[in-house]
């Protein structure tokens, strides 16, 4: 039975925020009763309306447009953040090879629940096993090299003189089409190489508390994290769940934050088969 493990991650992230609040602008044109009649000389046949009792002049049509817009400063919008920063993760009590620093990529959002509280979600990738990048690139190059050699062999076989050349040419077409799949595999490996160093995939749900009602300034957060951890020197991945805490500072378009998570391995059921 595999021993239960406990690992921790921390990350210092600088993110760029995108607000969901879009300001609106309205336009209105006021009329001037002293302006001359239209150029075509047409005059309205309707008599002017009499002034109201009390001698007050009627309000101009543009008066309503001159009122200041409603104050929306207290409305906190949903905020989406993309972040990048340094990270550190490793097994608690493990060897030196199981503790690595690297880079974290994160994306998250906060939905306001009131003047100060908000519900947040964050997805982060900890890239610490950088040796996997070169392994993936090498595998992609090997796939391209094998495909090139196979293409050459099929061509030589189809172009050789001898009996059944027409049949061989027809068969080579199917072989070339099948070999295109190996190039597709090489392309997928090349595209996935930047994410091959991923050691932790973490999804956090948290409750955020902002010190200011507009959502800016200092904030603290706490919640639950679910994660998949792939140790740098192992191919086997295991899952974990545990508490996560964070704090940070939000500006108009930039957020600085620190997050720390402790993740015990989720226990799995194991069954031992005794010999008869």
């Amino acid at each position: 039975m595999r021993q239960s493990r406990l690992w921790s991650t921390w990350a210092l992230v600088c993110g760029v925020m995108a607000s969901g609040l879009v300001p609106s602008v309205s336009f209105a044109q006021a009329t001037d009763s002293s302006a001359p009649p239209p150029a075509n000389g047409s005059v309205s046949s309707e008599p002017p309306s009499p002034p109201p009792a009390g001698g007050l002049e009627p309000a101009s049509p543009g008066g309503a447009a001159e009122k200041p817009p409603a104050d929306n400063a207290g409305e906190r919008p949903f905020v989406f953040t993309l972040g990048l920063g340094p990270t550190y993760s490793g097994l608690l009590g493990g060897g030196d090879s199981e503790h690595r620093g690297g880079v974290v990529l994160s994306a998250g959002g906060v939905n306001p629940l009131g003047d100060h509280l908000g519900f947040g979600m964050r997805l982060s990738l900890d890239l610490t096993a950088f040796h996997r990048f070169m392994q993936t690139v090498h595998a992609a190059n090997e796939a391209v090299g094998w495909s090139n050699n196979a293409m050459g062999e099929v061509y030589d076989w189809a172009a050789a003189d001898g009996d059944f050349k027409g049949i061989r040419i027809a068969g080579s077409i199917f072989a070339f089409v099948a070999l295109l799949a190996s190039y597709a595999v090489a392309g997928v490996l090349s595209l996935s190489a930047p994410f091959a160093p991923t050691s932790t995939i973490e999804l956090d749900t948290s409750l955020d508390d902002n010190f200011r009602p507009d959502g800016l300034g200092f904030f603290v957060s706490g919640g639950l994290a679910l994660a998949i951890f792939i140790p740098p020197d192992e191919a086997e991945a295991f899952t974990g769940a545990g508490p996560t805490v964070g704090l940070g500072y939000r500006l108009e378009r930039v957020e600085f934050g620190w997050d720390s998570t402790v993740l015990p391995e989720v226990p799995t059921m194991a069954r031992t088969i005794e010999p008869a």
Side-chain angles (χ1 to χ4, degrees), residues 9-24:
T9 67
W10 67 262
L12 182 64
V13 181
C14 175
V16 179
M17 299 192 302
S19 174
L21 183 63
V22 179
S24 61

Side-chain angles (χ1 to χ4, degrees), residues 41-62:
S42 61
V43 180
S44 174
S45 59
E46 297 180 3
S49 58
L56 296 178
E57 292 294 331
S60 62

Side-chain angles (χ1 to χ4, degrees), residues 14-93:
C14 175
V16 179
M17 299 192 302
S19 174
L21 183 63
V22 179
S24 61
V25 180
S26 61
F27 298 93
Q29 182 178 359
T31 59
D32 187 358
S33 60
S34 63
N40 57 9
S42 61
V43 180
S44 174
S45 59
E46 297 180 3
S49 58
L56 296 178
E57 292 294 331
S60 62
E66 294 174 357
K67 294 181 181 180
D71 185 10
N72 294 328
E75 297 181 3
R76 292 173 52 199
F78 175 85
V79 175
F80 177 75
T81 307
L82 292 175
L84 173 68
T87 186
Y88 176 85
S89 64
L91 289 171
L92 298 181

Side-chain angles (χ1 to χ4, degrees), residues 51-241:
L56 296 178
E57 292 294 331
S60 62
E66 294 174 357
K67 294 181 181 180
D71 185 10
N72 294 328
E75 297 181 3
R76 292 173 52 199
F78 175 85
V79 175
F80 177 75
T81 307
L82 292 175
L84 173 68
T87 186
Y88 176 85
S89 64
L91 289 171
L92 298 181
D96 294 338
S97 62
E98 295 175 323
H99 294 265
R100 298 285 182 95
V103 178
V104 59
L105 304 176
S106 68
V110 177
N111 187 51
L113 301 178
D115 291 339
H116 295 274
L117 295 180
F119 177 75
M121 296 190 68
R122 181 176 67 97
L123 177 65
S124 63
L125 302 179
D126 289 353
L127 310 179
T128 61
F130 294 104
H131 62 282
R132 294 177 185 157
F133 173 80
M134 295 307 303
Q135 292 175 352
T136 306
V137 171
H138 179 72
N141 293 335
E142 289 289 331
V144 172
W146 181 88
S147 301
N148 292 337
N149 293 333
M151 285 283 190
E153 292 177 358
V154 171
Y155 175 81
D156 294 339
W157 171 74
D161 295 332
D163 298 333
F164 307 106
K165 185 173 183 179
I167 297 177
R168 283 185 278 116
I169 292 176
S172 66
I173 296 176
F174 294 97
F176 286 139
V177 173
L179 288 174
L180 291 177
S182 60
Y183 285 107
V185 172
V188 172
L189 290 173
S190 299
L191 293 176
S192 63
F195 302 98
T198 300
S199 57
T200 305
I201 304 173
E202 183 176 332
L203 177 64
D204 301 342
T205 57
S206 62
L207 191 64
D208 294 9
D209 185 6
N210 290 98
F211 295 167
R212 288 172 49 179
D214 58 1
L216 303 178
F218 286 101
F219 68 91
V220 294
S221 64
L224 178 67
L226 303 175
I228 300 174
F229 181 60
I230 308 173
D233 294 337
E234 296 183 24
E236 182 182 9
F238 56 94
T239 59

